[in-house]
Amino acid sequence: MFLELWQTATRFDPGKGGAVSWALTVAHRRAIDRVGASQSSRDRDMRVGIRDREELP
């Protein structure tokens, strides 16, 4: 997380809010991305599992 903040520090605009708020927003967005990726992975696994099961004799 800290590395991402360091690498994207140029995106911070003090005119839009404080540094802590910006860091929390970055963390929140990262968490949402992880949940979405996890859900997509489960959905994909289910589709493949259902397809493979239907192919069994």
Coordinates of all heavy atoms in Angstrom, one line a residue:
M1 N 0.8 -1.2 0.0 CA 0.0 0.0 0.0 C 0.9 1.3 0.0 O 0.6 2.2 -0.7 CB -0.9 -0.1 1.2 CG -1.8 1.1 1.4 SD -3.0 1.2 0.1 CE -3.4 2.9 0.2
F2 N 1.9 1.3 0.9 CA 2.7 2.5 1.0 C 3.5 2.7 -0.3 O 3.7 3.8 -0.8 CB 3.7 2.4 2.1 CG 3.0 2.4 3.5 CD1 3.0 1.4 4.3 CD2 2.4 3.6 3.9 CE1 2.3 1.4 5.5 CE2 1.7 3.7 5.1 CZ 1.7 2.6 5.9
L3 N 3.9 1.6 -1.0 CA 4.6 1.7 -2.3 C 3.7 2.3 -3.3 O 4.1 3.2 -4.1 CB 5.1 0.3 -2.7 CG 5.9 0.3 -4.0 CD1 7.1 1.2 -4.0 CD2 6.2 -1.1 -4.4
E4 N 2.4 1.9 -3.3 CA 1.5 2.5 -4.3 C 1.3 4.0 -4.0 O 1.2 4.8 -5.0 CB 0.2 1.8 -4.2 CG -0.9 2.3 -5.2 CD -2.2 1.5 -5.2 OE1 -2.3 0.5 -4.5 OE2 -3.1 1.9 -6.0
L5 N 1.2 4.4 -2.8 CA 1.1 5.8 -2.4 C 2.3 6.6 -2.9 O 2.2 7.7 -3.4 CB 0.8 6.0 -0.9 CG -0.5 5.5 -0.4 CD1 -0.5 5.6 1.1 CD2 -1.7 6.2 -1.0
W6 N 3.5 6.0 -2.7 CA 4.7 6.7 -3.1 C 4.7 6.8 -4.6 O 5.1 7.9 -5.1 CB 5.9 5.8 -2.6 CG 7.2 6.4 -2.9 CD1 8.0 6.1 -4.0 CD2 7.9 7.5 -2.2 NE1 9.1 6.9 -4.0 CE2 9.1 7.7 -2.9 CE3 7.5 8.3 -1.1 CZ2 10.0 8.7 -2.5 CZ3 8.4 9.2 -0.7 CH2 9.6 9.5 -1.4
Q7 N 4.4 5.8 -5.3 CA 4.4 5.8 -6.8 C 3.4 6.7 -7.4 O 3.6 7.2 -8.5 CB 4.3 4.4 -7.3 CG 5.5 3.5 -7.0 CD 5.3 2.1 -7.4 OE1 4.2 1.6 -7.5 NE2 6.4 1.4 -7.6
T8 N 2.3 6.9 -6.7 CA 1.2 7.8 -7.3 C 1.1 9.1 -6.5 O 0.1 9.8 -6.7 CB -0.1 7.1 -7.2 OG1 -0.4 6.8 -5.8 CG2 -0.1 5.8 -8.0
A9 N 2.1 9.5 -5.8 CA 2.1 10.7 -5.0 C 1.9 12.0 -5.9 O 1.3 13.0 -5.4 CB 3.4 10.9 -4.2
T10 N 2.3 11.9 -7.1 CA 2.1 13.1 -8.0 C 0.6 13.3 -8.3 O 0.3 14.4 -8.7 CB 2.9 12.9 -9.3 OG1 2.4 11.7 -10.0 CG2 4.4 12.8 -9.1
R11 N -0.2 12.3 -8.1 CA -1.7 12.5 -8.3 C -2.3 13.3 -7.1 O -3.5 13.7 -7.3 CB -2.3 11.2 -8.5 CG -1.9 10.5 -9.7 CD -2.6 9.2 -9.9 NE -2.0 8.3 -10.9 CZ -2.3 7.1 -11.1 NH1 -3.1 6.5 -10.3 NH2 -1.7 6.4 -12.1
F12 N -1.6 13.3 -6.0 CA -2.2 14.0 -4.8 C -2.3 15.5 -5.1 O -1.4 16.2 -5.5 CB -1.4 13.8 -3.6 CG -1.8 14.6 -2.4 CD1 -3.0 14.4 -1.8 CD2 -1.0 15.6 -1.9 CE1 -3.5 15.1 -0.7 CE2 -1.4 16.4 -0.8 CZ -2.6 16.1 -0.2
D13 N -3.5 16.0 -4.9 CA -3.8 17.5 -5.0 C -4.3 18.0 -3.7 O -5.4 17.8 -3.3 CB -4.9 17.7 -6.1 CG -5.2 19.1 -6.4 OD1 -4.6 20.0 -5.8 OD2 -6.0 19.4 -7.3
P14 N -3.4 18.8 -3.0 CA -3.9 19.3 -1.7 C -5.1 20.3 -1.8 O -5.8 20.5 -0.8 CB -2.6 20.1 -1.2 CG -1.6 20.1 -2.3 CD -2.1 19.2 -3.4
G15 N -5.4 20.8 -3.0 CA -6.5 21.6 -3.2 C -7.8 20.8 -3.1 O -8.9 21.4 -2.9
K16 N -7.8 19.5 -3.2 CA -9.0 18.7 -3.2 C -9.2 18.0 -1.8 O -10.2 17.4 -1.6 CB -8.9 17.6 -4.3 CG -8.9 18.1 -5.7 CD -8.8 17.0 -6.7 CE -8.9 17.5 -8.1 NZ -8.8 16.4 -9.1
G17 N -8.2 18.1 -0.9 CA -8.4 17.5 0.4 C -7.0 17.1 1.0 O -6.0 17.4 0.4
G18 N -7.1 16.5 2.2 CA -5.9 16.2 2.9 C -5.2 14.9 2.4 O -5.8 14.1 1.7
A19 N -4.0 14.7 2.9 CA -3.2 13.6 2.5 C -3.8 12.3 3.1 O -3.8 11.3 2.4 CB -1.8 13.7 2.9
V20 N -4.3 12.3 4.3 CA -4.9 11.1 4.9 C -6.1 10.7 4.1 O -6.3 9.5 3.8 CB -5.2 11.4 6.4 CG1 -6.0 10.2 7.0 CG2 -3.9 11.6 7.2
S21 N -7.0 11.7 3.7 CA -8.2 11.3 3.0 C -7.8 10.7 1.6 O -8.4 9.8 1.2 CB -9.0 12.6 2.7 OG -9.5 13.1 3.9
W22 N -6.8 11.3 1.0 CA -6.3 10.7 -0.3 C -5.8 9.3 -0.1 O -6.2 8.4 -0.9 CB -5.2 11.6 -0.9 CG -4.6 11.1 -2.1 CD1 -5.1 11.0 -3.3 CD2 -3.3 10.5 -2.2 NE1 -4.2 10.4 -4.2 CE2 -3.1 10.1 -3.5 CE3 -2.2 10.3 -1.2 CZ2 -1.9 9.5 -3.9 CZ3 -1.1 9.8 -1.7 CH2 -0.9 9.4 -3.0
A23 N -5.0 9.0 0.9 CA -4.5 7.7 1.2 C -5.6 6.7 1.5 O -5.6 5.6 1.0 CB -3.5 7.7 2.3
L24 N -6.6 7.1 2.2 CA -7.7 6.3 2.5 C -8.6 6.0 1.3 O -9.1 4.9 1.1 CB -8.6 6.9 3.6 CG -8.0 6.9 5.0 CD1 -8.9 7.7 6.0 CD2 -7.7 5.5 5.5
T25 N -8.7 6.9 0.4 CA -9.4 6.7 -0.8 C -8.7 5.7 -1.7 O -9.3 4.8 -2.3 CB -9.6 8.1 -1.6 OG1 -10.3 9.0 -0.8 CG2 -10.3 7.9 -2.9
V26 N -7.3 5.8 -1.8 CA -6.5 4.9 -2.6 C -6.7 3.5 -2.0 O -6.9 2.5 -2.7 CB -5.1 5.3 -2.6 CG1 -4.2 4.2 -3.2 CG2 -4.9 6.6 -3.3
A27 N -6.7 3.3 -0.7 CA -6.9 2.0 0.0 C -8.3 1.5 -0.3 O -8.4 0.3 -0.5 CB -6.6 2.2 1.5
H28 N -9.3 2.3 -0.2 CA -10.6 1.9 -0.4 C -10.8 1.4 -1.8 O -11.4 0.3 -2.1 CB -11.6 3.1 -0.1 CG -13.0 2.7 -0.3 ND1 -13.7 3.2 -1.4 CD2 -13.9 2.0 0.4 CE1 -15.0 2.7 -1.3 NE2 -15.1 2.0 -0.2
R29 N -10.3 2.1 -2.8 CA -10.4 1.7 -4.2 C -9.7 0.4 -4.4 O -10.2 -0.5 -5.2 CB -9.9 2.8 -5.1 CG -10.8 4.0 -5.2 CD -10.3 5.1 -6.1 NE -11.2 6.2 -6.1 CZ -11.0 7.4 -6.6 NH1 -9.8 7.6 -7.2 NH2 -11.9 8.3 -6.6
R30 N -8.5 0.2 -3.8 CA -7.8 -1.0 -4.0 C -8.6 -2.2 -3.4 O -8.6 -3.3 -4.0 CB -6.4 -0.9 -3.3 CG -5.7 -2.2 -3.3 CD -4.4 -2.1 -2.6 NE -3.3 -1.9 -3.6 CZ -2.1 -2.2 -3.3 NH1 -1.7 -2.6 -2.1 NH2 -1.1 -2.1 -4.2
A31 N -9.2 -2.0 -2.2 CA -10.0 -3.0 -1.6 C -11.2 -3.4 -2.5 O -11.5 -4.6 -2.7 CB -10.5 -2.6 -0.2
I32 N -11.9 -2.4 -3.1 CA -13.0 -2.7 -4.0 C -12.5 -3.5 -5.2 O -13.2 -4.5 -5.6 CB -13.7 -1.4 -4.4 CG1 -14.4 -0.8 -3.2 CG2 -14.6 -1.6 -5.6 CD1 -15.0 0.6 -3.5
D33 N -11.3 -3.1 -5.7 CA -10.8 -3.9 -6.9 C -10.5 -5.3 -6.5 O -10.8 -6.2 -7.3 CB -9.5 -3.2 -7.4 CG -9.7 -1.9 -8.1 OD1 -10.9 -1.6 -8.4 OD2 -8.8 -1.2 -8.3
R34 N -10.0 -5.5 -5.3 CA -9.7 -6.9 -4.9 C -11.0 -7.7 -4.7 O -11.0 -8.9 -5.1 CB -8.9 -6.9 -3.6 CG -7.6 -6.3 -3.7 CD -6.5 -7.3 -3.4 NE -5.2 -6.7 -3.7 CZ -4.1 -7.0 -3.1 NH1 -4.1 -7.9 -2.1 NH2 -3.0 -6.4 -3.4
V35 N -12.0 -7.1 -4.1 CA -13.2 -7.9 -3.9 C -13.8 -8.2 -5.3 O -14.3 -9.3 -5.5 CB -14.2 -7.0 -3.1 CG1 -15.6 -7.6 -3.1 CG2 -13.8 -6.9 -1.7
G36 N -13.8 -7.3 -6.2 CA -14.3 -7.5 -7.6 C -13.6 -8.6 -8.3 O -14.1 -9.5 -8.9
A37 N -12.2 -8.6 -8.2 CA -11.4 -9.6 -8.8 C -11.7 -11.0 -8.2 O -11.8 -12.0 -8.9 CB -9.9 -9.3 -8.7
S38 N -11.9 -11.0 -6.9 CA -12.2 -12.3 -6.2 C -13.5 -12.8 -6.7 O -13.6 -14.0 -7.0 CB -12.2 -12.1 -4.7 OG -12.5 -13.3 -4.1
Q39 N -14.5 -12.0 -6.8 CA -15.8 -12.4 -7.2 C -15.8 -12.9 -8.7 O -16.4 -13.9 -9.0 CB -16.8 -11.2 -7.1 CG -18.2 -11.6 -7.5 CD -18.8 -12.7 -6.6 OE1 -18.8 -12.6 -5.4 NE2 -19.4 -13.7 -7.2
S40 N -15.0 -12.2 -9.5 CA -14.9 -12.6 -10.9 C -14.2 -14.0 -11.0 O -14.6 -14.8 -11.8 CB -14.1 -11.6 -11.7 OG -14.7 -10.4 -11.8
S41 N -13.2 -14.2 -10.2 CA -12.5 -15.5 -10.2 C -13.5 -16.6 -9.7 O -13.5 -17.7 -10.4 CB -11.3 -15.4 -9.2 OG -10.7 -16.6 -9.2
R42 N -14.3 -16.4 -8.7 CA -15.2 -17.4 -8.3 C -16.3 -17.6 -9.4 O -16.6 -18.8 -9.6 CB -15.9 -16.9 -7.0 CG -15.2 -17.2 -5.7 CD -16.0 -17.0 -4.5 NE -16.7 -15.7 -4.4 CZ -16.1 -14.7 -3.8 NH1 -14.9 -14.8 -3.3 NH2 -16.7 -13.5 -3.7
D43 N -16.8 -16.6 -10.0 CA -17.7 -16.8 -11.1 C -17.2 -17.6 -12.2 O -17.8 -18.5 -12.8 CB -18.2 -15.4 -11.6 CG -19.0 -14.7 -10.6 OD1 -19.5 -15.3 -9.6 OD2 -19.3 -13.5 -10.8
R44 N -15.9 -17.3 -12.6 CA -15.2 -18.0 -13.7 C -15.0 -19.5 -13.3 O -15.3 -20.4 -14.1 CB -13.9 -17.3 -14.0 CG -13.2 -17.8 -15.1 CD -11.9 -17.0 -15.5 NE -11.1 -16.6 -14.3 CZ -11.1 -15.4 -13.8 NH1 -11.8 -14.4 -14.3 NH2 -10.3 -15.1 -12.8
D45 N -14.6 -19.7 -12.0 CA -14.4 -21.1 -11.6 C -15.7 -21.9 -11.6 O -15.8 -23.0 -12.0 CB -13.8 -21.1 -10.2 CG -12.4 -20.7 -10.1 OD1 -11.8 -20.6 -11.2 OD2 -11.9 -20.4 -9.0
M46 N -16.8 -21.2 -11.3 CA -18.1 -21.9 -11.3 C -18.5 -22.2 -12.7 O -19.0 -23.3 -13.0 CB -19.2 -21.0 -10.6 CG -19.1 -20.9 -9.1 SD -19.4 -22.6 -8.4 CE -21.1 -22.8 -8.8
R47 N -18.3 -21.3 -13.6 CA -18.7 -21.5 -15.0 C -17.9 -22.7 -15.6 O -18.4 -23.6 -16.3 CB -18.5 -20.3 -15.9 CG -19.5 -19.2 -15.7 CD -19.4 -18.2 -16.8 NE -18.1 -17.6 -16.9 CZ -17.7 -16.5 -16.2 NH1 -18.5 -15.9 -15.4 NH2 -16.5 -16.0 -16.4
V48 N -16.6 -22.7 -15.3 CA -15.7 -23.8 -15.8 C -16.1 -25.1 -15.1 O -16.2 -26.2 -15.8 CB -14.3 -23.5 -15.6 CG1 -13.4 -24.7 -15.8 CG2 -13.8 -22.3 -16.4
G49 N -16.4 -25.1 -13.8 CA -16.8 -26.3 -13.1 C -18.1 -26.8 -13.6 O -18.2 -28.1 -13.8
I50 N -19.1 -26.0 -13.9 CA -20.3 -26.5 -14.4 C -20.1 -27.0 -15.8 O -20.7 -28.1 -16.2 CB -21.4 -25.3 -14.4 CG1 -21.7 -25.0 -13.0 CG2 -22.6 -25.6 -15.3 CD1 -22.6 -23.7 -12.8
R51 N -19.3 -26.3 -16.6 CA -19.1 -26.8 -18.0 C -18.4 -28.2 -18.0 O -18.8 -29.1 -18.7 CB -18.2 -25.8 -18.8 CG -18.0 -26.2 -20.2 CD -16.8 -25.5 -20.8 NE -15.6 -25.9 -20.2 CZ -14.5 -25.1 -20.0 NH1 -14.5 -23.9 -20.4 NH2 -13.4 -25.6 -19.4
D52 N -17.4 -28.3 -17.1 CA -16.7 -29.6 -17.0 C -17.6 -30.7 -16.5 O -17.5 -31.9 -17.0 CB -15.5 -29.5 -16.1 CG -14.4 -28.6 -16.8 OD1 -14.5 -28.3 -18.0 OD2 -13.4 -28.2 -16.0
R53 N -18.4 -30.4 -15.6 CA -19.3 -31.4 -15.1 C -20.3 -31.9 -16.2 O -20.6 -33.1 -16.3 CB -20.1 -30.9 -13.9 CG -21.0 -31.9 -13.3 CD -21.7 -31.3 -12.0 NE -22.7 -32.2 -11.6 CZ -22.6 -33.0 -10.5 NH1 -21.6 -32.9 -9.7 NH2 -23.6 -33.8 -10.2
E54 N -20.8 -31.0 -17.0 CA -21.7 -31.3 -18.1 C -21.1 -32.2 -19.1 O -21.7 -33.0 -19.8 CB -22.3 -30.1 -18.7 CG -23.2 -29.3 -17.8 CD -23.7 -28.0 -18.3 OE1 -23.1 -27.5 -19.4 OE2 -24.5 -27.3 -17.7
E55 N -19.7 -32.1 -19.3 CA -19.0 -32.9 -20.3 C -18.8 -34.3 -19.8 O -18.4 -35.2 -20.7 CB -17.7 -32.2 -20.6 CG -17.9 -30.9 -21.4 CD -16.6 -30.2 -21.7 OE1 -15.5 -30.8 -21.3 OE2 -16.6 -29.1 -22.2
L56 N -18.9 -34.6 -18.6 CA -18.7 -36.0 -18.1 C -19.8 -36.9 -18.6 O -20.9 -36.6 -18.7 CB -18.7 -36.0 -16.5 CG -17.5 -35.3 -15.9 CD1 -17.7 -35.3 -14.3 CD2 -16.2 -36.0 -16.2
P57 N -19.4 -38.2 -18.9 CA -20.4 -39.1 -19.4 C -21.4 -39.6 -18.4 O -21.2 -39.6 -17.3 CB -19.5 -40.3 -19.9 CG -18.2 -40.2 -19.4 CD -18.1 -38.7 -18.9

